[in-house]
């Protein structure tokens, strides 16, 4: 029997010239001795940018500020606890800058060493795959997990954490594509960016392009990562009419639809999208919009 579990984490890329700050996993975790960017799991209700500042302080002793958004990636790791546990992690990676504190090793945590590592040293380290990919060195598959470590805990009943990808999609005429949230879903009657939750094992960009087809029938290409935001609602009313302690983390991408067509919802009846349509930015700003849509349109200006 295989159990699938999801988690969201945030990490910081901190540089000193050509050196990068890395943390080594302690013996208490599944892959001891592996190096990665400092960071860790996003607490329920926490913005990922807050997570990376908190985790940096815990693991390195440094006070940092977020200076940019680097990337969002996902991976799946199989952990042979009990029968089998398959963990999908959505990883938000920021650029960070030290503003205070004193560098030190973590005390009795998930890491046991911190080090500045230069480009000539990187190939000789055992790196977590997402860190190797980000730093441009060969990605080596993980060995079988060391069962001395503890599996990541799941969320308690009634609490949900969801990672989603949305697109600020425009066509050659500078129209923007929006989707209308269907009755029975949070935000019903408001216009939203196309997109939605990522599936287990799915990369955020792939999820967005899939959702774009399902919600509007459009084929797009992702051109940029714009932002990562979150929404915490401790009593969100879902489609089943049952309150849920809900925390959503959302990556917003810039998407180009080079050959637009008449939008048509292709997902199964009863989904979260009632219909989709193209609008000028000026007309879109006069619609009832979700807050993430208002923020995204603000980056386009009035046309």
């Amino acid at each position: 029997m295989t159990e699938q579990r999801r988690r969201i984490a945030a990490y910081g890329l901190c540089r000193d010239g050509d050196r990068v700050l890395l943390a080594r996993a302690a013996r208490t975790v599944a892959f001891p001795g592996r190096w990665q960017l400092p960071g860790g799991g996003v607490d329920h209700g926490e913005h990922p940018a807050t997570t990376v500042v908190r985790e940096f302080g815990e693991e390195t002793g440094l006070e940092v500020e977020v200076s940019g958004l680097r990337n969002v990636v996902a991976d799946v790791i199989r952990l042979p606890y009990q029968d089998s546990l398959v963990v999908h992690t959505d990883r938000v990676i920021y650029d960070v800058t030290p503003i205070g504190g004193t560098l030190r090793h973590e005390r009795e945590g998930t890491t046991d060493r911190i080090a500045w590592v230069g480009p000539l040293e990187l190939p000789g380290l055992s790196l977590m795959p997402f860190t190797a990919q980000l730093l441009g060195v060969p990605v080596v598959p993980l060995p079988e997990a060391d069962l001395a470590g503890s599996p990541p805990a799941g969320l308690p009943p009634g609490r949900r954490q969801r990672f989603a990808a949305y697109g600020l999609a425009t066509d050659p005429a500078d129209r923007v594509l929006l989707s209308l949230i269907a009755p029975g879903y949070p935000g019903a009657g408001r216009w939203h960016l196309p997109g939605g939750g990522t599936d287990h094992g799915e990369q955020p960009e792939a999820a967005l392009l899939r959702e774009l087809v399902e919600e509007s029938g459009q084929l797009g290409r992702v051109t940029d990562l714009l932002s990562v935001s979150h929404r915490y609602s401790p009593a969100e009313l879902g489609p089943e009419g049952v309150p849920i302690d809900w925390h959503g983390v959302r990556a917003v991408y810039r998407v180009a639809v080079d050959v637009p067509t008449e939008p048509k919802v292709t997902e199964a009846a009863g989904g979260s999208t009632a219909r989709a349509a193209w609008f000028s930015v000026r007309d879109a700003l006069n619609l009832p919009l979700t807050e993430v849509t208002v923020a995204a349109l603000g980056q386009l200006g009035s046309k």
Side-chain angles (χ1 to χ4, degrees):
M1 179 179 178
T2 299
E3 179 187 357
Q4 293 184 344
R5 199 172 289 177
R6 299 285 299 262
R7 66 189 290 266
I8 303 172
Y11 304 86
L13 178 62
C14 184
R15 290 192 179 276
D16 175 30
D18 63 355
R19 300 187 303 168
V20 61
L21 191 61
L22 297 179
R24 189 178 68 180
R27 288 178 294 176
T28 55
V29 299
F31 300 103
R34 287 267 164 169
W35 293 83
Q36 66 178 26
L37 299 180
V42 175
D43 287 344
H44 193 71
E46 186 178 46
H47 193 296
T50 303
T51 301
V52 77
V53 172
R54 172 179 57 76
E55 288 280 349
F56 242 84
E58 294 172 2
E59 293 184 359
T60 74
L62 295 180
E63 182 183 355
V64 299
E65 63 181 7
V66 171
S67 54
L69 177 61
R70 171 69 55 163
N71 203 359
V72 178
V73 296
D75 55 53
V76 175
I77 297 175
R78 182 176 294 274
L79 302 174
Y81 294 98
Q82 297 174 352
D83 294 322
S84 185
L85 174 63
V86 180
V87 181
H88 171 122
T89 303
D90 295 290
R91 305 183 191 270
V92 183
I93 302 166
Y94 294 97
D95 292 310
V96 300
T97 303
I99 58 174
T102 301
L103 190 65
R104 55 151 177 79
H105 304 309
E106 187 174 14
R107 305 179 184 91
E108 299 181 357
T110 57
T111 68
D112 62 11
R113 187 180 174 192
I114 296 296
W116 288 105
V117 180
L120 296 181
E121 303 167 88
L122 282 173
L125 294 181
S126 295
L127 298 171
M128 287 295 287
F130 82 94
T131 298
Q133 178 184 2
L134 181 75
L135 298 179
V137 299
V139 177
V140 178
L142 291 171
E144 184 168 308
D146 183 341
L147 297 185
S150 300
L155 292 173
R159 179 175 286 186
R160 303 275 181 87
Q161 196 174 51
R162 175 179 183 258
F163 192 88
Y166 293 95
L168 178 58
T170 56
D171 69 358
D174 290 326
R175 296 182 302 172
V176 62
L177 182 69
L178 298 178
S179 58
L180 183 65
I181 301 175
Y185 287 84
R190 292 185 176 274
W191 291 89
H192 197 31
L193 299 177
T198 63
D199 290 340
H200 194 279
E202 192 173 38
Q203 291 290 342
E205 292 186 19
L208 170 56
L209 296 180
R210 170 182 56 77
E211 290 277 354
L212 192 68
V213 172
E214 293 176 357
E215 295 184 1
S216 67
Q218 308 299 301
L219 297 177
R221 55 185 176 89
V222 174
T223 62
D224 196 14
L225 173 62
L226 295 178
S227 65
V228 170
S229 63
H230 84 136
R231 180 173 179 270
Y232 177 50
S233 178
E236 184 74 78
L237 196 63
E240 300 85 3
V242 178
I244 300 171
D245 186 358
W246 181 266
H247 181 214
V249 175
R250 308 165 298 198
V252 178
Y253 294 87
R254 192 77 163 82
V255 178
V257 178
D258 299 307
V259 183
T261 60
E262 185 65 26
K264 181 180 179 181
V265 179
T266 65
E267 65 183 353
S272 61
T273 302
R275 66 187 181 95
W278 289 104
F279 299 95
S280 69
V281 176
R282 187 182 300 275
D283 288 344
L285 290 172
N286 290 320
L287 298 170
L289 302 170
T290 61
E291 95 284 352
V292 70
T293 306
V294 172
L297 290 176
Q299 300 185 55
L300 289 178
S302 180
K303 295 184 180 179

